[in-house]
Structures are given as structure tokens and as C-alpha cells.
Amino acid sequence: MAMLEVSHMEKRFGNTEVLKDISFSLEKGQSLAIIGSSGSGKTTLLRSLNFLETPDAGTITVDGQLLLDAAVRTKASDKEIRKKRLRFGLVFQNFNLFPQYTALENVMLASQLLAKERPDYRQNRREILEQIRTRGVELLTQVGLQDRLDNYPHQLSGGQQQRVAIARALALDPDILCFDEPTSALDPELTGEVLKVIRSLAERNMTMIIVTHEMAFARDVADQIIFMDGGVIVEQGPARQVIEHPVQERTRRFLSRYQGQS
């Protein structure tokens, strides 16, 4: 059974169909890269998976558990949505760090808020918070920022801020980690340090979905690639096959813009 199953997902904004009959699966430990031009539906797909948008049709299943069936119109409670959202982590284009908190505080914040809902929180508060801090330090060390724990976002480069955002997403131990163009807001010289972290996560068999315009990175790191255009999946398959030997003419035209990448 696949880790993630998306079946017949559709999303409209007014009269505009943004996602049209999107279906794919992802095995545990695999990385999926999603490529395509701006406006092709990639970000809306990620936002739908993370319950930031509600699809008009389709289902989302994670590890055999049905998280969403758009045909069921019963409104989920905020607590139910939050629980489902925890199955996914999302790293945004523009970091979205809280400027008033240090790098470590940004990583710890969501875990601290969730900990307050634990029945044993009052009794074991000190121990729980210390465990959260230890985990935060471990994650920032993992992304190469062990010497930046107490820095505020304005004291960090764009690449460092994005690495904090990755550590923050990992702090809640999501089943699937999603990246929405994680290097698009970075200067070229900072892109490599973020891609290096994502590559290391792939080597550790983190299940990931990566929306990216870095074609060589997608080819070398992802197991599977989906090419989207106009809200539909035009082509999908093994990463190297799609990048180097695309079947569809629309895919070939898109990839021709990136022929200089290596």
C-alpha cells in the first residue's frame, strides 16, 4: 500500500478550474518532484494536501487512513483539521518565520503549543519542554545551524532562514514533508545550501513532495516526477526518464527552457 494516495482531486476558484482530476501515489521513503510553469496548479496541490485549501472533489489517503473525501460535506472541526494537517509538513517559499523569535524558538513553537494539550502537561511541564528544546537543537544541528540557535531571522541569510523553516517543519515529525519552491526566494549562491539539506533528507528516506524549478536537482534526487500544466498531470514517471526522455510534447517544450542546467 502506498504511503500517500491522491485520487481524482479537483479544485476550483470561482469558475476557474485549478486542479483537474489529479491522481498519483507515493511510496514511503520516496521523493516526488512536481514541476511545471507558474499557474499550473502545483502550489494549490500542496496547499490542498496540507488542508490549507479544501478540494471540491477527490480523496487523500495516508498510510491507509482516509484523511479527506471531498464528497463528504460534513464540516470537520478545527481540531480534526489540525490533526490531519500534522501528517504533512510544509516549507514555504518565503520562510514565514516569526521575526520576534530566535531560530530555536521558531522551531520549538508549534511543539510547545501542542504539548499544552497533553493531559500530563502540568505534571511534567519542565521535562516536556526540555525534550522539545533538545529536539529543536538536534534539528538545527542537522541542518547545519548549531551556531545560530539564538539568532533572530533578520540576523540570518535567506538560506539560513529556509533551513530554520525546514527544521521547524521536521519538528512535528510529519509523515510527508512538502516543499513549495524552497529556493525560489534565494540568491543563486544560497540555493546550494538548501538543496544540500533536502538531498540529505532524501538520503535518510524522508517521504517528500518537492515543487521545484531546479530540474537537475529533481532528476538526481527525486524518485518520481510529475509535470503539471493547466491544472492537469501531463506526464509522470521515474525522475530521470521524465527529465531526459519525456514522452509528451508539452513536457519537452517545458524542459527545453532548462537545457542549460546540469
Side-chain angles (χ1 to χ4, degrees):
M1 179 181 294
M3 176 74 174
L4 172 66
E5 292 271 4
V6 175
S7 181
H8 304 297
M9 182 184 287
E10 297 184 359
K11 177 65 180 175
R12 292 180 295 278
F13 292 110
N15 294 324
T16 303
E17 283 189 288
V18 182
L19 298 176
K20 308 171 188 176
D21 198 22
I22 300 294
S23 297
F24 66 90
S25 62
L26 180 62
E27 300 296 329
K28 186 176 178 65
Q30 284 196 336
S31 296
L32 168 70
I34 304 178
I35 61 174
S37 301
S38 296
S40 60
K42 307 184 304 295
T43 294
T44 300
L45 174 56
L46 283 193
R47 289 179 61 84
S48 297
L49 290 175
N50 283 270
F51 295 90
L52 299 174
E53 301 286 355
T54 303
D56 297 297
T59 61
I60 300 172
T61 303
V62 175
D63 242 2
Q65 180 183 358
L66 181 64
L67 297 189
L68 174 79
D69 183 348
V72 178
R73 296 300 179 181
T74 305
K75 184 174 175 59
S77 68
D78 290 342
K79 185 174 183 179
E80 289 171 329
I81 292 173
R82 187 165 69 246
K83 185 176 180 181
K84 293 175 180 180
R85 193 174 285 156
L86 289 172
R87 306 296 294 269
F88 297 86
L90 178 57
V91 179
F92 299 90
Q93 295 182 33
N94 296 312
F95 325 137
N96 287 8
L97 300 179
F98 292 103
Q100 71 272 34
Y101 297 133
T102 65
L104 181 57
E105 288 168 342
N106 265 282
V107 172
M108 293 166 51
L109 182 60
S111 297
Q112 290 172 330
L113 292 173
L114 284 172
K116 292 179 180 179
E117 299 179 4
R118 290 175 51 168
D120 64 337
Y121 179 73
R122 286 193 174 204
Q123 181 181 354
N124 300 312
R125 178 178 179 275
R126 185 187 298 270
E127 180 183 347
I128 290 170
L129 293 180
E130 184 56 37
Q131 289 172 349
I132 291 172
R133 188 184 191 283
T134 299
R135 175 66 171 154
V137 172
E138 288 174 353
L139 288 169
L140 285 170
T141 300
Q142 183 179 324
V143 299
L145 294 175
Q146 61 271 23
D147 57 343
R148 300 286 186 174
L149 303 180
D150 298 321
N151 285 93
Y152 290 89
H154 75 272
Q155 298 172 314
L156 302 172
S157 70
Q160 290 169 337
Q161 289 185 61
Q162 191 61 295
R163 285 187 277 157
V164 173
I166 294 171
R168 178 180 61 183
L170 289 169
L172 296 177
D173 295 316
D175 295 308
I176 301 164
L177 186 58
C178 303
F179 295 87
D180 186 10
E181 297 279 12
T183 61
S184 65
L186 301 179
D187 294 331
E189 62 268 24
L190 300 178
T191 294
E193 64 189 55
V194 173
L195 295 182
K196 181 180 178 181
V197 170
I198 300 173
R199 189 185 298 269
S200 72
L201 293 172
E203 290 170 352
R204 297 181 189 199
N205 297 319
M206 180 77 200
T207 310
M208 296 188 290
I209 300 175
I210 310 162
V211 170
T212 184
H213 59 276
E214 302 284 344
M215 297 303 136
F217 177 78
R219 176 197 64 203
D220 295 340
V221 173
D223 298 287
Q224 301 286 321
I225 284 182
I226 283 174
F227 168 58
M228 292 183 65
D229 188 34
V232 302
I233 294 177
V234 175
E235 186 163 350
Q236 59 182 309
R240 192 165 291 273
Q241 174 187 309
V242 172
I243 295 293
E244 297 182 351
H245 306 287
V247 174
Q248 301 298 324
E249 176 60 28
R250 286 161 78 185
T251 315
R252 288 195 289 269
R253 285 201 308 269
F254 172 78
L255 290 172
S256 67
R257 307 177 202 170
Y258 298 91
Q259 284 179 343
Q261 282 194 11
S262 61

